């Protein structure tokens, strides 16, 4: 099975559409109707036989309504018509989820009509069958595909009714990956979207053609419900294994990550942002990987980024690749870059002129807009904790940021201008940058989607077939010392598997007899006990690790600060903020009952966990690394229907001490401390 076999699927579904700029400066003399124009509020304008949206409803064609002009010209014209308050609203972005059944909330009208906001983060899980059994959390209610599309359309109608009719731009975190532990504000469960391996899994395939197909499918699915921009992808490097957001990174390797982000920009956005694009906000500049002691910068104990290996420039490489590929937006890190020769070196990246203006814009020639990370004004103002919110707003805009995430008070920006703490010309500069993207995306011509068609696009069988192939190709075979894999079971010679963490029906469909040691979803004994494992030919155990026991205030995940060093399985088994499933004790018991060399472990490496000697896990007869795959995908590799092809996206250390001694900004470990190096992977 080869990924190229799916090329015809994309032709059928239109995901290989050519990226054709619709707002080029040379289009001013056009006599051909280029974009589809749609309005649900004002009648269309007919000029010289061409259709235009009457965004402000005055019956005349304003320059910003003329799609024949360049995005720059249109943006400058619109800014000249806006009040200071309207421009201030443009510089804000915050979460705006649909309510129950996909209905707009009361807050929606207030943010659009009063605050003048035109950019929002959409966090609702989009699923086939919503389950809303209690109050909605940060991610909002579960809604269907059609409800999501209808919600976007309703919001765009609301925006069309404002003074200038500026369309809304909805962004989202990643939502096309299989993740057993998604977190609001970090990523969203795939739900009705096609289910692909996590970012590290894509990297493990080492297949840029397949990653391009992923981007093209994702583009089509996001378009279908009205999502036109992404908070991502992360090109932070996985050099600090203790950082819990390793699971959102692609690799520890700057070159591989650079290749991937170039490919994703090509498939999602194109060299230029157009009406066919999903615009990307690349994060977290200049690289959030080297977190001091592995702490996350959402929290006070993780606010510093450290460079003991003097490797700051290495982390810039994927960002340079993204800029060269046409990335239109960048998101600075929360962290403080310790020990770097940058202006304003002792504050978070968004507050630093040295980072945003000097390094990003002047030295790296970035021309797009800068979108701060969420909450820097109110929750994570690292280095400027002693300043007022107004002072923080002034500081980050002065440093070069254009839109403030997690903030929704336009009046504060207005007051800063009125007090001469910011100039209106500086505000204009940001708003032009922001509007250019909305013009380039074609939203001013048609911001609506076909809600009835969306169901046929998201997660359809053809798209999922390609995603399934990617899942299989992402699986890395780490150990097979006695060559027990693949396990070939047939009607003539059936094999009995003792399973934990595996769906029984999936194992049976793969041709095995099954003794279920647990319920893979509930984690309780069902159909067997550990002693019954002795009746099996082999054991197959899926191992998941999460931080469900962490303190409640660690709202985006991760371990308690005093347990960040605990990546070895023996340590995690005893820690309060780490949870290993099945428990290490259960795994060890099964390995004793079946015998270690007949036990196969499939470990989901959300971080570069340590298979320490004391855990006994290295004695398993087969060890596979996964990065978000289905049971069916895993069983195809176990049974030999698909030969393992994945290569490790990051190295694995051989001891807990190696984790502590490694340098946060340097990939991998010294040879003496390495169990499996970057790029390792067996086959059969």
């Amino acid at each position: 099975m080869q990924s190229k076999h799916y090329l015809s699927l994309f032709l059928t579904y239109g995901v290989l559409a050519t990226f054709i700029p619709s707002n080029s400066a040379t289009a001013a003399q056009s006599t051909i109707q280029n974009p589809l124009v749609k309005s649900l509020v004002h009648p269309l304008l007919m000029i010289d036989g061409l259709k235009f949206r009457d965004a402000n409803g005055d019956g005349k064609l304003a320059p910003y309504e003329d799609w024949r002009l360049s995005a720059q010209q249109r943006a400058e014209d619109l800014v000249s018509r806006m009040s200071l308050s309207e421009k201030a609203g443009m510089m804000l972005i915050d979460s705006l989820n649909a309510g129950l059944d996909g209905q707009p909330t009361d807050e929606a009208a207030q943010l659009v009509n009063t605050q003048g906001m035109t950019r929002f983060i959409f966090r609702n899980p989009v699923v086939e069958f919503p389950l809303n059994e209690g109050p909605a959390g940060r991610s909002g209610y579960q809604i269907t595909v059609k409800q999501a599309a209808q919600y976007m359309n309703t919001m765009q109608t609301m925006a069309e009714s404002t003074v200038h009719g500026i369309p809304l731009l909805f962004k989202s975190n990643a939502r096309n990956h299989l993740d057993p532990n998604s977190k609001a504000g970090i990523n969203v469960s795939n739900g009705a979207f096609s289910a692909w391996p996590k970012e590290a899994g894509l990297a493990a395939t080492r297949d840029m053609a397949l990653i391009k197909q992923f981007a093209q499918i994702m583009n089509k699915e996001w378009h279908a419900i009205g999502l036109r921009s992404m908070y991502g992808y992360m090109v932070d490097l996985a050099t600090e294994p203790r950082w819990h957001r390793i699971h959102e990174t692609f690799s520890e390797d700057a070159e591989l990550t650079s290749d991937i982000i170039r490919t994703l920009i090509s498939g999602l956005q194109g060299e230029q942002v157009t009406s066919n694009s999903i615009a990307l906000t690349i994060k977290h500049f200049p690289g959030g990987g080297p977190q001091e002691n592995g702490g996350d910068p959402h929290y006070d104990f993780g606010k510093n980024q450290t460079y003991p290996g003097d490797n700051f420039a290495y982390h810039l490489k994927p960002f340079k690749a993204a800029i060269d590929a046409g990335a239109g937006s960048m998101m600075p890190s929360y962290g403080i870059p310790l020990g770097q020769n940058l202006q304003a070196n002792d504050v978070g990246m968004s507050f630093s002129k040295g980072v945003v203006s000097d390094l990003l814009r002047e030295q790296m020639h970035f021309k797009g807009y800068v979108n701060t990370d969420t909450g820097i004004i109110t929750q994570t103002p690292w280095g400027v904790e002693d300043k007022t919110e107004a002072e923080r707003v002034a500081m980050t805009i002065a440093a070069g940021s254009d839109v403030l995430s997690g903030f929704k008070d336009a009046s504060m920006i207005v007051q800063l201008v009125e007090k001469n703490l910011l100039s209106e010309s500086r505000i204009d500069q940001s708003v032009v940058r922001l509007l250019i993207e909305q013009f380039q995306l074609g939203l001013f011509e048609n911001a609506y989607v076909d809600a009835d068609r969306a169901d046929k696009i998201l997660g359809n069988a053809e798209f999922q077939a390609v995603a399934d192939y990617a899942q299989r190709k992402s699986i890395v075979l780490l150990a097979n010392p006695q060559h027990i894999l693949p396990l070939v079971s047939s009607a003539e010679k059936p094999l009995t598997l003792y399973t934990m963490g595996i769906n029984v029906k999936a194992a049976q469909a793969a041709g095995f007899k099954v003794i279920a040691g647990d319920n893979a979803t509930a984690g309780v004994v069902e159909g067997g006990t550990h002693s019954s494992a002795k009746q099996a030919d082999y054991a197959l155990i899926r191992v998941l690790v999460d931080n469900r026991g962490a303190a409640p205030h660690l709202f985006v995940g991760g371990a308690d600060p005093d347990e960040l060093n605990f990546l070895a399985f023996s340590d995690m088994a005893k820690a309060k903020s780490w949870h290993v499933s099945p428990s290490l004790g259960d795994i060890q018991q099964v390995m004793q009952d079946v015998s270690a060399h007949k036990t196969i472990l499939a470990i989901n490496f959300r971080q570069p966990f340590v298979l320490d000697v004391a855990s006994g896990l290295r004695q398993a007869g087969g060890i596979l690394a996964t990065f978000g795959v289905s049971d069916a995908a895993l069983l195809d590799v176990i049974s030999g229907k698909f030969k393992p092809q994945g290569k490790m996206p990051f190295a694995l250390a051989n001891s807990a001490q190696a984790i502590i001694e490694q340098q946060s900004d340097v990939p991998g470990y010294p040879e003496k401390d390495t169990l499996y190096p970057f790029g390792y992977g067996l086959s059969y």
Side-chain angles (χ1 to χ4, degrees):
M1 184 176 184
Q2 299 295 324
S3 59
K4 65 182 181 181
H5 292 173
Y6 293 103
L7 186 62
S8 61
L9 303 178
F10 304 123
L11 296 174
T12 301
Y13 281 85
V15 286
L16 291 183
T18 303
F19 287 93
I20 303 174
S22 61
N23 288 299
S24 64
T26 58
Q29 304 302 317
S30 176
T31 58
I32 301 174
Q33 184 73 41
N34 186 0
L36 172 68
V37 180
K38 184 173 182 178
S39 172
L40 297 182
V41 176
H42 304 298
L44 298 181
L45 298 173
M46 292 293 297
I47 309 292
D48 298 328
L50 302 176
K51 296 178 181 178
F52 301 86
R53 188 169 73 90
D54 188 10
N56 59 18
D58 68 354
K60 303 174 184 178
L61 183 64
Y64 83 89
E65 299 166 339
D66 190 344
W67 47 259
R68 296 170 298 182
L69 300 178
S70 72
Q72 179 82 31
Q73 291 170 313
R74 299 176 74 183
E76 290 174 354
D77 175 69
L78 179 50
V79 167
S80 72
R81 299 166 183 269
M82 297 172 70
S83 68
L84 176 58
S85 179
E86 291 166 340
K87 289 183 284 192
M90 280 283 301
M91 296 179 67
L92 311 177
I93 183 171
D94 203 0
S95 300
L96 184 60
N97 297 322
L100 194 61
D101 299 324
Q103 296 301 309
T105 62
D106 292 340
E107 184 185 30
Q110 193 271 332
L111 295 182
V112 172
N113 296 320
T114 303
Q115 294 295 334
M117 294 173 64
T118 68
R119 289 166 180 259
F120 297 104
I121 310 165
F122 176 74
R123 303 190 189 277
N124 293 88
V126 178
V127 300
E128 187 175 1
F129 302 108
L131 295 174
N132 295 305
E133 299 175 344
R138 189 182 183 194
S139 62
Y141 292 104
Q142 293 185 359
I143 58 177
T144 67
V145 174
K146 187 171 184 178
Q147 287 170 347
Q150 290 172 329
Y151 168 70
M152 298 291 186
N153 285 344
T154 300
M155 292 303 304
Q156 294 293 359
T157 303
M158 184 185 298
E160 261 209 284
S161 302
T162 59
V163 174
H164 304 290
I166 301 173
L168 306 181
L169 177 59
F170 280 94
K171 298 193 174 197
S172 174
N173 294 111
R175 54 173 69 231
N176 279 78
H177 305 281
L178 271 177
D179 189 343
N181 190 33
S182 59
K183 285 280 188 182
I186 299 297
N187 60 342
V188 186
S189 59
N190 68 288
F193 289 80
S194 55
W196 297 72
K198 290 279 291 172
E199 291 88 336
L202 292 178
T205 70
R206 297 297 199 276
D207 188 337
M208 295 304 146
L210 181 59
I211 293 172
K212 178 71 171 285
Q213 293 173 23
F214 159 73
Q216 292 167 329
I217 287 177
M218 175 181 157
N219 178 308
K220 192 68 175 176
E221 291 184 328
W222 284 42
H223 258 95
I225 65 166
L227 275 174
R228 298 301 307 281
S229 186
M230 181 188 184
Y231 264 2
Y233 268 96
M234 276 175 53
V235 296
D236 306 295
L237 300 178
T239 56
E240 172 46 80
R242 294 170 291 185
W243 185 36
H244 84 97
R245 293 189 73 179
I246 289 288
H247 73 92
E248 295 176 86
T249 68
F250 293 103
S251 171
E252 69 178 32
D253 185 75
E255 298 302 328
L256 176 58
T257 301
S258 295
D259 286 345
I260 291 172
I261 198 59
R262 280 190 288 261
T263 303
L264 290 174
I265 290 174
S266 174
L268 282 165
Q269 178 182 288
E271 292 182 6
Q272 300 180 54
V273 176
T274 74
S275 58
N276 295 312
S277 297
I278 301 297
L280 298 180
T281 298
I282 307 301
K283 56 185 187 180
H284 303 90
F285 186 82
Q291 293 300 134
E292 186 177 44
N293 299 320
D296 187 87
H298 281 91
Y299 316 125
D300 179 81
F301 61 82
K303 64 184 178 183
N304 292 328
Q305 291 180 207
T306 184
Y307 304 88
D310 196 25
N311 216 22
F312 182 89
Y314 186 73
H315 291 259
L316 290 178
K317 290 183 178 181
F319 293 95
K320 183 63 166 64
I323 292 169
D324 291 345
S329 177
M330 287 281 171
M331 177 183 289
S333 169
Y334 289 120
I336 299 172
L338 297 183
Q340 301 308 303
N341 185 25
L342 299 165
Q343 183 176 340
N345 191 49
D346 56 350
V347 296
M349 305 292 187
S350 288
F351 300 105
S352 171
K353 180 180 181 296
V355 169
V356 178
S357 292
D358 298 345
L359 177 58
L360 178 59
R361 293 202 184 279
E362 294 184 20
Q363 295 181 38
M364 299 183 70
H365 310 293
F366 177 65
K367 304 300 183 185
Y369 69 89
V370 174
N371 189 130
T372 76
D373 210 338
T374 302
I376 66 160
I377 304 302
T378 57
Q379 294 177 304
T380 54
W382 307 138
V384 294
E385 293 94 330
D386 60 335
K387 296 186 181 298
T388 66
E389 288 188 6
E391 289 171 328
R392 296 169 191 166
V393 170
M395 190 172 181
T396 191
I397 294 173
S401 295
D402 300 300
V403 58
L404 309 178
S405 185
F407 192 69
K408 48 192 175 186
D409 183 1
S411 66
M412 189 172 291
I413 297 176
V414 172
Q415 291 169 13
L416 288 168
V417 174
E418 292 174 344
K419 294 177 181 178
N420 294 319
L421 297 174
L422 286 173
S423 69
E424 188 163 1
S425 62
R426 172 66 189 88
I427 303 303
D428 291 350
Q429 184 182 47
S430 286
V431 178
V432 166
R433 287 172 181 156
L434 297 168
L435 281 171
I436 284 173
E437 183 177 68
Q438 280 154 287
F439 282 113
Q440 290 174 328
L441 286 167
L443 294 170
F444 273 84
E445 277 58 68
N446 179 21
Y448 297 100
V449 297
D450 186 339
D452 291 323
R453 187 168 179 263
D455 261 327
K456 299 180 178 64
I457 296 174
L458 265 71
N460 66 72
E462 289 85 357
F463 287 177
Q464 188 56 50
V466 192
D468 290 342
Y469 173 73
Q471 289 181 37
R472 286 156 177 77
K473 195 168 186 182
S474 73
I475 296 172
V476 181
L477 177 60
L478 292 176
N480 190 21
Q482 298 183 28
H483 305 287
I484 66 167
L485 294 173
L487 299 181
V488 180
S489 183
S490 64
E492 296 77 22
K493 294 184 177 181
L495 293 178
T496 299
L497 280 185
Y498 182 86
T499 63
M500 297 188 79
I502 297 285
N503 181 278
V504 173
K505 291 183 179 178
Q508 291 170 336
F512 297 101
K513 291 185 176 180
V514 179
I515 300 173
D518 66 0
N519 178 320
T521 56
V524 297
V525 172
E526 180 184 86
T529 64
H530 295 326
S531 61
S532 64
K534 296 177 182 179
Q535 305 168 27
D537 296 305
Y538 296 93
L540 174 58
I541 303 174
R542 291 201 70 167
V543 183
L544 300 177
V545 180
D546 62 40
N547 299 114
R548 71 179 67 174
H553 71 275
L554 302 179
F555 59 96
V556 296
D560 291 344
D562 59 345
E563 294 185 343
L564 290 172
N565 291 341
F566 292 5
L567 291 189
F569 275 91
S570 292
D571 291 332
M572 292 189 294
K574 296 177 288 187
K576 64 179 181 179
S577 62
W578 290 95
H579 181 264
V580 180
S581 177
S583 71
L584 181 59
D586 282 348
I587 296 171
Q588 292 169 336
Q589 184 64 53
V590 172
M591 291 177 71
Q592 180 177 322
D593 291 342
V594 179
S595 81
H597 76 274
K598 289 187 176 182
T599 300
I600 301 151
L601 304 177
I603 303 170
N604 190 61
F605 279 92
R606 192 173 178 85
Q607 290 173 242
F609 304 123
V610 179
L611 301 169
D612 59 305
V613 173
S615 71
L617 299 185
R618 292 191 206 175
Q619 305 307 311
I623 304 174
L624 299 103
T626 67
F627 308 94
V629 300
S630 67
D631 287 344
L634 174 63
L635 286 157
D636 271 2
V637 172
I638 294 293
S639 65
K641 293 177 183 177
F642 192 102
K643 292 183 179 180
Q645 300 179 38
K647 304 298 179 184
M648 285 301 291
F650 41 68
L652 298 182
N654 63 12
S655 70
Q657 188 61 31
I659 294 292
I660 298 171
E661 293 177 356
Q662 55 80 39
Q663 295 178 311
S664 296
D665 59 332
V666 177
Y669 313 89
E671 185 176 354
K672 67 179 180 64
D673 293 330
T674 303
L675 180 62
Y676 297 112
F678 166 79
Y680 185 86
L682 305 174
S683 191
Y684 38 77

